[in-house]
């Protein structure tokens, strides 16, 4: 059965490998220039070549963001860069600017995907973009799945949609708040997400002491619309988050991979959706909602700052960077101590859980704890659990004994 592509963000080379290990069909990422995430690690030219080679070795694709809106001075070197991307085998470039499209077409044979920043919201525009040479539309987030499907049908061009992650409060991301609050152009890679900061509302006669956010959106999730994506032949389901952690990439990728595959083979059910929802609650997020995937987003789409950001049901611990029959080696992002209970998230299957009974430094010294941002060796234990999936790039989280989350019931997506 036909399946949509699962498209996952990659902040750096490690994230790229994590995404592909956890089931991504494709990754999108940025180079040193021309993208909209200037604060991401972003890839050097040599890292781009390594990343594309790794992806292709694992039957995955790589799309590069060239989606900034450029001024004349920004075009220097763009043609040479496009030729380089073509030479290393990049599968497509994500573009907003007509001028950039012209340079790409004149200098290379790269496939062009129209960025959501270009605000394609109708089939008339879709047909025009197709005539210009665009191969895929990443439609505006203001559209429903049905509307996006109609554009695909009437314009005869592939359509990609965001299905999970943070939502920009501005129309198709055309925001200038960072320009005025920090002197950084959001549409040229400088967004500092000013809309997500807490603000105080004041008036002439009264000051409101509570912190409120009136410009920020809840986070998108599309787990209950998987069937609709299939029904309307949306070619690619895109997870937002090039600034997010390996934990975020791995968990979200694993969840959507499982749901897509289950729908395709006819096994998706309500219980599986409940499990998926609980897993997505484990990573930090703003309250989830379905955006405009079914009906236009309304007042309830605004994130209520007073409720606070959900820190998730689990805390990210680190990532496996080496595994032998005797031990695993973790790169920590948080401190770890003897007696801590941890869970390794395998690429497939249930979390592998154990209590840490021994810790060693990289030089072999027995220790009781290790600070964050360090590397630590953990002996494998003899236990009735399957450790054969403990390999490089598995993400690890602390196990939770008490903290729980209630997931509201939701019906299967239509056709599910």
């Amino acid at each position: 059965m036909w399946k949509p592509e699962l498209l996952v963000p990659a902040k750096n080379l490690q994230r790229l490998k994590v995404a592909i290990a956890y089931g991504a069909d494709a990754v999108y990422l940025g180079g040193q220039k021309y993208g909209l995430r200037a604060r991401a690690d972003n890839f050097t030219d040599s890292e781009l070549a390594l990343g594309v080679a790794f992806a292709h070795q694992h039957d995955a694709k790589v799309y590069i963001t060239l989606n900034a809106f450029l001024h004349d001075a920004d075009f220097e070197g763009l043609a040479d860069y496009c030729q380089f991307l073509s030479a290393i085998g990049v599968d497509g470039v994500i573009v907003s600017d007509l001028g950039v499209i012209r340079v790409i077409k004149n200098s290379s044979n790269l496939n062009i995907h129209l960025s959501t920043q270009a605000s394609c919201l109708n089939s008339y525009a879709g047909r025009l973009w197709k005539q210009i040479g665009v191969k895929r539309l990443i439609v505006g987030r203001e559209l429903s799945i049905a509307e996006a499907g109609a554009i695909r049908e009437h314009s005869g061009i592939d359509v990609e949609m965001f299905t999970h992650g943070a939502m920009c409060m501005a129309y198709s991301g055309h925001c200038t708040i960072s320009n005025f609050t920090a002197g950084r152009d959001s549409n040229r890679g400088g967004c500092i997400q000013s809309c997500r900061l807490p603000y105080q509302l004041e008036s002439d006669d009264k000051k409101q002491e509570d912190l409120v956010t009136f410009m920020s959106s809840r986070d998108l999730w599309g787990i209950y619309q998987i069937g609709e994506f299939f029904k309307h032949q949306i070619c690619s389901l895109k997870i937002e988050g090039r600034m997010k952690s390996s934990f975020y990439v791995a968990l979200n990728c694993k969840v959507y991979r499982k749901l897509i595959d289950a729908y395709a083979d006819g096994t998706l059910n309500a219980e599986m959706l409940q499990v998926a929802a609980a897993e997505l609650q484990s990573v930090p997020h703003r309250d989830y909602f379905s955006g405009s995937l079914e009906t236009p987003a309304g007042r309830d789409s605004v994130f209520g700052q007073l409720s606070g950001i959900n820190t998730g049901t689990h805390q990210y611990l680190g990532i496996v960077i080496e595994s032998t029959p005797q031990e695993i080696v973790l790169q920590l992002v948080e401190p770890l101590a003897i007696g801590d209970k941890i869970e390794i998230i395998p690429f497939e299957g249930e979390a592998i859980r154990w209590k840490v009974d021994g810790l060693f430094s990289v030089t072999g010294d027995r220790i009781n704890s290790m600070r964050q941002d360090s590397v630590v060796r953990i002996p494998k234990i003899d236990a009735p659990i399957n450790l054969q999936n403990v390999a490089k790039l598995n993400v690890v989280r602390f196990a939770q004994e008490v903290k729980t989350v209630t997931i509201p019931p939701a019906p299967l997506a239509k056709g599910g």
Side-chain angles (χ1 to χ4, degrees):
M1 182 181 184
W2 173 88
K3 290 190 287 189
E5 169 187 86
L6 177 59
L7 178 55
V8 181
K11 178 182 179 180
N12 51 36
L13 193 56
Q14 184 192 75
R15 303 286 197 284
L16 178 147
K17 294 179 179 180
V18 168
I20 293 171
Y22 279 89
D25 298 305
V27 294
Y28 65 101
L29 51 97
Q32 296 295 304
K33 297 197 297 183
Y34 312 118
L36 285 179
R37 289 294 181 270
R39 294 186 299 127
D41 292 354
N42 290 322
F43 286 65
T44 64
D45 288 355
S46 60
E47 288 171 337
L48 283 174
L50 290 171
V52 172
F54 179 90
H56 290 175
Q57 288 168 4
H58 295 83
D59 299 319
K61 296 181 178 180
V62 176
Y63 308 133
I64 307 297
T65 56
L66 303 179
N67 55 343
F69 288 94
L70 303 187
H71 295 195
D72 279 349
D74 299 323
F75 278 84
E76 182 178 356
L78 177 58
D80 291 339
Y81 188 59
C82 292
Q83 291 173 6
F84 164 73
L85 296 180
S86 182
I88 65 173
V90 166
D91 299 285
V93 288
I94 301 170
V95 188
S96 306
D97 190 307
L98 275 167
V100 175
I101 290 178
R102 183 173 184 177
V103 171
I104 293 169
K105 289 177 63 65
N106 288 341
S107 62
S108 72
N109 60 356
L110 291 166
N111 290 321
I112 299 171
H113 298 180
L114 187 73
S115 171
T116 189
Q117 300 286 125
S119 302
C120 184
L121 301 174
N122 58 74
S123 56
Y124 298 96
R127 286 195 289 268
L128 180 59
W129 287 116
K130 183 180 180 182
Q131 291 173 10
I132 290 172
V134 170
K135 301 298 184 181
R136 179 188 293 188
L137 303 175
I138 310 169
V139 293
R141 301 190 203 187
E142 298 79 20
L143 290 178
S144 68
I145 301 172
E147 289 173 318
I151 291 175
R152 178 200 61 78
E153 182 178 357
H154 296 148
S155 64
I157 187 171
D158 283 342
V159 168
E160 172 186 311
M161 295 189 77
F162 280 92
T163 188
H164 189 92
M167 297 281 283
C168 182
M169 52 73 63
Y171 195 81
S172 289
H174 297 164
C175 178
T176 57
I177 298 177
S178 291
N179 300 57
F180 295 104
T181 60
R184 297 175 62 93
D185 192 339
S186 301
N187 296 298
R188 298 172 70 204
C191 178
I192 62 169
Q193 300 182 333
S194 302
C195 65
R196 302 188 187 189
L197 298 175
Y199 292 90
Q200 282 186 323
L201 296 181
E202 297 184 17
S203 63
D204 293 338
D205 58 347
K206 182 180 179 181
K207 177 179 179 180
Q208 181 172 329
E209 297 294 342
D210 290 333
L211 295 180
V212 296
T213 297
F214 57 93
M215 296 181 293
S216 187
S217 170
R218 294 163 64 186
D219 283 356
L220 174 70
W221 68 353
I223 58 173
Y224 298 116
Q225 289 78 34
I226 295 296
E228 289 294 289
F229 290 120
F230 273 80
K231 175 182 175 181
H232 294 284
Q233 295 282 294
I234 304 304
C235 78
S236 182
L237 307 189
K238 188 173 194 172
I239 296 174
E240 181 277 339
R242 278 202 292 133
M243 302 295 290
K244 301 293 180 63
S245 69
S246 292
F247 184 42
Y248 172 95
V249 169
L251 262 291
N252 286 299
C253 188
K254 182 176 181 179
V255 166
Y256 280 93
R257 174 79 279 150
K258 185 173 183 179
L259 296 181
I260 291 169
D261 292 347
Y263 188 90
D265 63 24
T267 60
L268 183 60
N269 55 44
E271 181 180 358
M272 191 178 296
L273 286 169
Q274 289 289 91
V275 172
E279 277 293 276
L280 293 179
Q281 296 283 355
S282 70
V283 298
H285 62 278
R286 292 165 179 258
D287 299 336
Y288 289 124
F289 81 128
S290 60
S292 296
L293 294 178
E294 293 182 327
T295 58
R299 292 174 62 90
D300 62 347
S301 68
V302 178
F303 176 70
Q305 180 68 37
L306 294 177
S307 64
I309 296 175
N310 192 318
T311 58
T313 59
H314 291 71
Q315 185 178 13
Y316 180 35
L317 172 61
I319 190 167
V320 178
I321 58 174
E322 190 60 72
S323 178
T324 72
Q326 294 78 36
E327 66 181 10
I328 60 172
V329 181
L330 290 184
Q331 182 179 351
L332 300 176
V333 297
E334 296 290 341
L336 180 66
I338 295 289
D340 285 340
K341 295 179 180 179
I342 65 174
E343 291 180 342
I344 292 184
I345 311 301
F347 307 141
E348 297 179 356
E350 300 298 322
I352 302 166
R353 186 174 188 176
W354 76 66
K355 182 178 178 180
V356 177
D357 293 324
L359 284 178
F360 294 86
S361 70
V362 291
T363 57
D365 298 323
R366 184 181 291 274
I367 54 178
N368 292 321
S369 64
M370 180 60 80
R371 63 185 182 277
Q372 67 187 62
D373 300 322
S374 300
V375 175
V376 65
R377 296 161 56 188
I378 305 177
K380 289 182 179 177
I381 59 173
D382 294 325
I385 55 177
N386 180 13
L387 296 181
Q388 64 183 1
N389 284 326
V390 179
K392 292 181 181 179
L393 302 177
N394 286 124
V395 298
V396 185
R397 65 190 182 189
F398 285 106
Q400 295 293 318
E401 297 293 341
V402 179
K403 191 172 183 180
T404 60
V405 62
T406 301
I407 308 297
L412 279 172
K414 297 176 183 177

